Amino acid sequence: MAEETILLAHEGEANGETRVNSRVLEIIAGLAAEEVEGVARLRGSISERAKEAFGRHVHGKGVEMRQTADGLEVDVYVDLSYGVSVTKVAHKIQEHIANQVAAMTELHVDMVNVHIAGVVSLKPEVSIDPNDLFGEKTEANGDK
């Protein structure tokens, strides 16, 4: 299976051409999305999650990219932290991905579609004393 590459435009006279693998652009977009405050994690496909379960770190997970006549179209699948403004975080994701891809490759990102796959709540810290599972020692001392 051939990997899709994207030709970068060169200003002036260049001695050759530069092609970037689309997976590289997906990694750039994925890292940019993870940098946005309020994003808990990127949501990958089932095969990507299976690879991570076996210890492989999958870069670019949760990001799909296509080249169109107008520029690049990006789909990003994220889980957000509980309590954030969905519209504000989604807008920041769109801006940050477009800016990072443009800064690193000078390619125009025409559209960034943000798919909110879920919401992640913070787990409260559990402080259980393994030697006093039922709190009997504190009640006996009258500290409760």
Side-chain angles (χ1 to χ4, degrees), residues 49-60:
R49 283 185 254 158
K51 288 177 187 175
E52 281 193 333
F54 289 111
R56 289 189 56 200
H57 185 69
V58 180
H59 295 288

Side-chain angles (χ1 to χ4, degrees), residues 10-18:
H10 291 286
E11 304 242 350
E13 296 190 26
N15 294 332
E17 61 184 28
T18 303

